[in-house]
Amino acid sequence: MKHVPLLFALHIFILLFHSGSIAADEPAYGDALIVGSIGEPSNLIPMLASDRPSHDVSGLVYQGLVKYDTDLSLIGDLARSWDITDDGLSITFHLREDVQWEDGTPFTAEDVLYGFNTICDPATPTAYAGDYLQVKKAEVLDSHTFKVTYDKPFAPALGSWGNIVVLPRHLLEEKKITESSLSRKPIGLGPFTFRTWAPGEKIVLDANPTYYDGRPYLNQYIIRFIPDQGTMFLELQSGAIDYMPLTPMQYTRQTQTDYFKNNYNKYKYPSFTYTYLGFNLKHPWFQDKRVRQAIAHAVNKQELIDGVLLGLGREATGPFVPGTWPYNPDVQKHPFNPDRARSLLAEAGWTDTDGDGVLDRDGRPFEFTIHTNMGNPLRLKTATIIQWRLEKIGIKIDIRVLEWATFLNEFLDKRRFHAVIMGWGIGLDPDQYDIWHSSKTAERELNFITYKNQEVDELLEKGRRIFDIKKRKKIYNRFQEILAEEVPYIFLYVPYALPIIHNRFKNIQPTPIGISYNLEKWYVPADRQKHRLLP
Amino acid sequence: MILYMLKRLLTMIPVVLGVTVLSFCIIHLAPGKPTDKLSELNPKMTPEARQRLEQYYGLDKPLHVQYLSWLKRIVRFDFGNSFSTDSRPVIVKIWDRGVPILDRRLMVTLIINVLSMLLILSCAIPIGVYSAVKPYSFFDRITTVFVFVGFATPAFWLALLLIILFSINLGWLPISGIKSIGYDGLGFTAQMFDRAHHLILPVFISAFGGIAGMSRYMRSSMLEAIRNDYVTTARAKGLAEKTVIFKHALRNALLPLITILGLSIPGLISGSIIFEQIFGIPGMGQLSFQAIMGRDYPVVMGLLVISSILTLAGNLVADMCYALADPRIRTK
Amino acid sequence: MLEQQSVFTTIKKNRLAVTGLIIVSLFFLVAVLAPVIAPYDYREINVQEMLVPPGLKHLCGTDDLGRDIFSRMLWGARISLAVGFVAVGISTLIGILVGSLAGYYGRWIDSVIMRFVDIMLCFPTFFLILTVIAFVGPSIWNIMIIIGLTSWMGVARLVRAEFLSLKQREYVLAARASGASDARIIFLHILPNAMAPVFVSAILGVGAAVLLESALSFLGLGVQPPVPSWGNILTEGKANIEIAWWISLFPGLAILITVLGYNLLGEGLRDALDPRFKK
């Protein structure tokens, strides 16, 4: 039973009474979507921000030359089409002529070149320069033709021309990008335009009437910042927000009431992330493959999926998401088998000689620490279950949850850790050179587990220089086989994304890339619209 | 009096300096660099890019140089720019002239704290006085129990229970935030009502512990006042009990309260961190928490200094009031 | 100085203080006996028994990993009380040391120390604690130490005030005249007589530290799970409070009652030791 809130001074929500005469599901303009967000954006110039909330907002205001289609292929966005030379070394983008910035200025190739130059400028504090530094030459051929040339074939090239690089040159030129007001008040060309930002409270976006693909149906897109997932859920329940990501517990146990069934739609689809237990391969204990395999046998992935994700996720077997083209399902698995784990450990010299319940070798007990970052309850639960399981085969685990910066700087970067539970977000291009190549093991680089395998190195080098998907697939299949056999990480699970949305919003279609790709096509039938256009 | 004020001001100088040094030290002893936050394990972040970020923020200079340049700037209320990627000046984050005055962070927090202070005083003084006038009476016993329970209740826990009751089960009060989504479309009166509606729970929660503590304090202060000679004298003179209590005893019992109020400022600022986190209130507390977790050095340092100076100012004002009210202090 | 006997009788007469003493001893006992009383291993995970409501099998229900809340609370009593005692131990030691130096030597030492106390008092303590813990990491030892390092000022002021009045007493002057060393005078002659208010403030401090730890846990910077403290059990339950109220309710009550116990005992002792409050 849901009590209707008795707001004593609010008359802003003008509820239209149901009248049978209006056709129920006709697309109609109007209403606002209120989204809950844990984090607040830091900077709305895409190349200056590396946090998710910033990109969620700037992604609606800016567009890229290309974007991913629902089947994960690249299609044109601001680029109408493109030509790639046969050697794959240069791409010529033909840009749309009918696009204009929010202030009426036409969008041209100069905007792309400006963005490219800015991102490559050493004075720009950006985390995304890597892909663009591969470019040898970028040039404007005419007002709507843009050409880039690479030194060597670079497979992720095309995909990199997303919305990070396109900026309104006429508003930014001659100024330092870090001092631009655009970081707080973006002026874009996407489906929505920026209206206000009340720090700590909300950001309001309006439909862009001049959006090249047609004005979105929704009048407004409002992001409310609610730092706590529990509070956010309460807000959802009270009807104050329409759209939020659910935790597995909220998805399975807390949204089963009639109220939720009658008012909300829940979705679930695999997210492009995986969670893993990674070993520091510089530590002598973990250099022995048998030890890593033993631990893999001691971890019950299904139990993690049941206990942490409540079944809302899939087993991970490698660094790719099941269902995407590079994913290889036929790799060696290490099924849950504590006896096998014990015998592998015994082979490696670990036995409980002193009978204290903890394995030992050369008089030293098998005791190590798992580090993970703060603020992610699912990872902590994962660590807790793994701790419990490993204790049963005689390995004693401490868990340390660390604040993110400390975690990176003091532990990960300095290699002062035994094992970590972390997650990677997976890009749509399978290139994982930075994470697995043996040249990326220096302090602060991303192969922080110090994984070194010559064959993997060769595969990674080859993989990023080839465009042919079939050939690439073969390379990455082999890459996954090696990882599965060597267990530098125990790939744990791929969680589902679990958004919930008020059911007055129509035309939401889950696809492999999620649901929000066609936000501008979402609508609320006229008779169900809740929020009137606010002044 | 002026001499006393001057003396008081002079003694504040080393304290203010100490505050800045300490704030600076605490933060710079911490491991990790703020630029770590910017790179968030991004696979595309190269070491050169990281170094570039560090240089940009001046983290490669020696500590004392960083301190001196920082000190020079804070004198002009320039706390530098935030390390978070929005890079806004700290002072703008706290007091943003671009938004309505009621929405500026410092204002939001001040309003809640002033309201809760008023609530505390208006509950605690009557409770305390009444308990003291009739010690060990039924009322005194009841309030004593309330005071002890109130003092021992984790405020955030109570907040959680009240949100469930009033916002979810009864649906009377909003869950979080300081105004509704449709606020801008409201008339002035409705806007003020909307704000008040959102403030009920936060103000009550932030006042809760204070009511308990302050009424306890008021009680003992009043008890002491009643025992004083002048009260006995007043009574002996045959003045009405009411006059004795309210005119003589209460006035003297209220005096130490001034000092207590001044001293409670840091506590209120601290409390704001929790309440603003629970109720999603965009004030100084929320900013503090974000800055701490994000290692936003300039913001944390700025907030530490500002809140310490607010405390000092509060103490100074309290001392002044005290000195005005009680001439014995001045001549000491 | 009051006789031990009379302090004891005053406490006995003060029903609130007696209640406090009973509560405090009870929780102390529970903390000590946790391994014996706990029906389950506090770490035992059972994903088949998540969020079971309180009942005969699980007195206080289970949490979202199927762990027994009652057993976790018993162990949590250990952790929460340990945090309280160690933190207060540290702050009391520092407070005594600093306060007696300032009070005994006076002059510039006193000025410098008291200025420093003023500086420390200006900082919003909780903000300071959060900042430091966020930076050094929220291990249980860090939390104890940092709470201790930031809450000694009250004790220091108390001790200083006692010293200022006690150092002029005849027995101190006599000891000094007979050539006793400063340390001897401070620790053997003055300090024992200055301890009563310190003791009271320490007892009140334990309650405050337990509350502080729970507030830190609430913000995710307290004792880190899976090590149970009342604060973090409560916080872990927050996300599921609508479907599993028991996870947050019981530890909240435990905190409330414990802190209540220490406050009652502390206040009762204060009344007993402070001659002004004697009727």
Side-chain angles (χ1 to χ4, degrees), chain A residues 126-415:
Chain A
T126 178
Y128 300 99
D131 281 353
Y132 303 95
L133 294 172
Q134 299 269 341
V135 174
K136 188 170 71 180
K137 197 162 85 177
E139 52 203 321
V140 170
L141 298 186
D142 64 50
S143 70
H144 287 85
T145 315
F146 179 70
K147 185 180 172 193
V148 283
T149 311
Y150 291 82
D151 263 338
K152 285 185 249 172
F154 185 58
L158 184 57
S160 70
W161 293 94
N163 67 358
I164 299 278
V165 272
V166 179
L167 287 174
R169 181 183 67 115
H170 63 288
L171 296 172
L172 285 162
E173 223 175 18
E174 316 281 316
K175 264 181 259 170
K176 260 192 179 164
I177 188 154
T178 47
E179 284 158 18
S180 166
S181 63
L182 260 61
S183 62
R184 308 283 303 172
K185 292 188 177 79
I187 291 174
L189 38 57
F192 289 89
T193 58
F194 174 85
R195 184 190 181 100
T196 53
W197 181 347
E201 212 186 327
K202 64 176 188 229
I203 283 181
V204 180
L205 303 179
D206 287 335
N208 179 1
T210 62
Y211 180 51
Y212 78 84
D213 203 19
R215 173 200 189 283
Y217 286 114
L218 298 174
N219 276 342
Q220 285 187 324
Y221 183 93
I222 300 168
I223 304 109
R224 279 190 59 192
F225 311 122
I226 302 164
D228 177 80
Q229 204 135 24
T231 313
M232 196 190 292
F233 185 72
L234 298 180
E235 290 279 10
L236 179 83
Q237 211 171 349
S238 74
I241 57 175
D242 299 316
Y243 178 11
M244 71 175 272
L246 295 177
T247 62
M249 192 62 85
Q250 289 164 347
Y251 187 93
T252 47
R253 308 273 295 255
Q254 283 165 271
T255 48
Q256 300 299 14
T257 58
D258 285 341
Y259 171 70
F260 280 103
K261 282 183 183 140
N262 295 332
N263 292 288
Y264 290 88
N265 289 323
K266 294 188 281 186
Y267 300 89
K268 80 174 182 204
Y269 48 88
S271 63
F272 278 87
T273 59
Y274 68 87
T275 302
Y276 62 89
L277 174 70
F279 301 103
N280 183 354
L281 301 178
K282 280 195 151 171
H283 192 289
W285 295 354
F286 298 120
Q287 276 166 4
D288 189 332
K289 186 164 77 181
R290 288 169 300 188
V291 170
R292 306 195 300 263
Q293 286 172 340
I295 293 173
H297 280 296
V299 171
N300 186 346
K301 289 186 193 177
Q302 194 53 48
E303 180 182 50
L304 293 177
I305 293 170
D306 291 342
V308 178
L309 303 177
L310 306 174
L312 298 168
R314 286 196 265 180
E315 213 172 276
T317 56
F320 298 110
V321 178
T324 58
W325 67 260
Y327 177 72
N328 180 0
D330 306 312
V331 296
Q332 185 182 346
K333 309 225 169 40
H334 304 272
F336 175 58
N337 185 346
D339 292 330
R340 175 93 186 106
R342 277 189 207 98
S343 65
L344 275 168
L345 285 168
E347 268 177 51
W350 291 100
T351 45
D352 186 10
T353 54
D354 52 7
D356 63 351
V358 178
L359 301 177
D360 52 80
R361 192 177 70 182
D362 311 328
R364 293 190 61 194
F366 202 155
E367 197 178 328
F368 70 93
T369 306
I370 295 180
H371 288 96
T372 189
N373 65 298
M374 212 169 179
N376 192 326
L378 298 188
R379 280 186 199 161
L380 180 57
K381 272 174 105 176
T382 306
T384 311
I385 296 178
I386 290 176
Q387 176 191 41
W388 174 240
R389 279 294 165 198
L390 291 185
E391 222 163 67
K392 298 215 152 177
I393 61 161
I395 299 176
K396 198 169 174 304
I397 306 282
D398 289 316
I399 298 175
R400 271 198 80 182
V401 185
L402 290 157
E403 196 271 327
W404 187 249
T406 321
F407 179 41
L408 294 193
N409 205 41
E410 294 299 299
F411 294 87
L412 218 53
D413 284 342
K414 303 223 164 87
R415 311 293 185 253

Side-chain angles (χ1 to χ4, degrees), chain B residues 285-301:
Chain B
Q286 193 192 53
L287 184 65
S288 317
F289 189 66
Q290 287 169 356
I292 290 170
M293 299 315 284
R295 302 194 166 217
D296 195 342
Y297 295 158
V299 177
V300 174
M301 288 196 286

Side-chain angles (χ1 to χ4, degrees), chain B residues 105-279:
Chain B
R105 284 192 187 269
L106 184 57
M107 200 55 164
V108 169
T109 303
L110 276 180
I111 288 175
I112 294 179
N113 281 329
V114 168
L115 285 178
S116 93
M117 191 80 95
L118 289 177
L119 184 65
I120 291 173
L121 289 179
S122 58
C123 292
I125 294 178
I127 293 177
V129 170
Y130 199 81
S131 301
V133 173
K134 297 214 166 91
Y136 307 106
S137 65
F138 179 70
F139 178 83
D140 184 33
R141 279 172 205 280
I142 291 288
T143 52
T144 306
V145 170
F146 160 76
V147 160
F148 274 104
V149 171
F151 219 54
T153 309
F156 56 90
W157 180 68
L158 183 69
L160 218 58
L161 300 180
L162 293 185
I163 290 175
I164 297 286
L165 177 64
F166 287 108
S167 308
I168 294 295
N169 291 341
L170 297 172
W172 290 350
L173 297 171
I175 294 160
S176 68
I178 50 165
K179 50 191 189 184
S180 308
I181 281 295
Y183 176 86
D184 295 330
L186 300 175
F188 179 76
T189 328
Q191 282 190 342
M192 290 305 117
F193 263 119
D194 186 41
R195 280 182 188 271
H197 194 208
H198 281 82
L199 285 181
I200 294 174
L201 271 186
V203 168
F204 176 73
I205 292 292
S206 73
F208 190 73
I211 294 175
M214 198 65 92
S215 53
R216 189 77 188 154
Y217 192 85
M218 193 61 215
R219 178 179 180 269
S220 57
S221 169
M222 191 69 187
L223 272 179
E224 211 167 309
I226 289 174
R227 282 202 196 91
N228 267 324
D229 293 342
Y230 53 82
V231 174
T232 322
T233 318
R235 276 205 184 115
K237 276 199 299 190
L239 289 177
E241 187 66 14
K242 232 180 176 173
T243 324
V244 176
I245 298 292
F246 289 102
K247 216 164 161 211
H248 294 83
L250 181 60
R251 264 169 73 178
N252 280 287
L254 282 176
L255 268 180
L257 217 62
I258 299 174
T259 318
I260 291 289
L261 281 181
L263 283 175
S264 63
I265 295 173
L268 286 172
I269 294 172
S270 295
S272 301
I273 298 180
I274 290 201
F275 309 129
E276 293 184 7
Q277 202 61 16
I278 299 173
F279 293 106

Side-chain angles (χ1 to χ4, degrees), chain C residues 180-204:
Chain C
S181 70
D182 283 354
R184 200 181 159 81
I185 296 173
I186 291 176
F187 291 108
L188 279 180
H189 295 284
I190 308 184
L191 200 54
N193 294 310
M195 281 309 282
V198 174
F199 189 56
V200 170
S201 107
I203 287 179
L204 293 172

